[in-house]
Amino acid sequence: MTAMTAMNHTTAPALAVLTWTRRIAWGALTLFLAAFAIFEAQKYGLPTTAAAIAFFAVPDLFRRHRWAHLASLPLAVLVLYTVTPVVWPPLFTAGLGWLTRIAITRTLRRR
């Protein structure tokens, strides 16, 4: 066996474990974000529900744009909403909806 073949045989199980661990983590985050978005939508009413649903669709509406699939953008919205004096719940639930969609996509990714 060559060194390259031996390396492939030893790293393949480690990569499989890493892949499943990553999927489980994204899945747990998906469940948390979805529950949090539903809680916030129920708490603040129709505008927050509409914002969460609308931004849940952002990655689908902008499939060809890489920025729509970056988790850092909705995460930045959530963090900035939390640390600034802005008080507009639809903005927060929009970030939750967007990040939930990205987390679902990463959980169900085929790889």
Side-chain angles (χ1 to χ4, degrees):
M1 226 188 305
T2 65
M4 187 62 150
T5 306
M7 188 171 78
N8 288 339
H9 287 291
T10 58
T11 58
L15 289 176
V17 169
L18 183 61
T19 299
W20 280 105
T21 303
R22 189 176 295 138
R23 280 190 182 188
I24 290 169
W26 277 110
L29 181 62
T30 299
L31 294 175
F32 171 76
L33 290 170
F36 197 12
I38 291 168
F39 171 77
E40 290 292 320
Q42 187 274 329
K43 183 177 176 182
Y44 292 107
L46 188 59
T48 56
T49 304
I53 292 169
F55 276 79
F56 184 83
V58 164
D60 290 332
L61 296 174
F62 299 98
R63 282 180 195 246
R64 296 183 185 194
H65 298 284
R66 188 177 179 107
W67 61 266
H69 301 277
L70 294 174
S72 58
L73 292 177
L75 184 61
V77 168
L78 295 174
V79 170
L80 288 174
Y81 183 86
T82 303
V83 299
T84 61
V86 174
V87 180
W88 193 51
L91 179 63
F92 187 72
T93 57
L96 284 174
W98 189 2
L99 191 55
T100 300
R101 180 65 173 104
I102 291 170
I104 288 171
T105 302
R106 293 189 180 180
T107 301
L108 302 176
R109 183 180 290 165
R110 292 182 180 161
R111 275 207 264 168

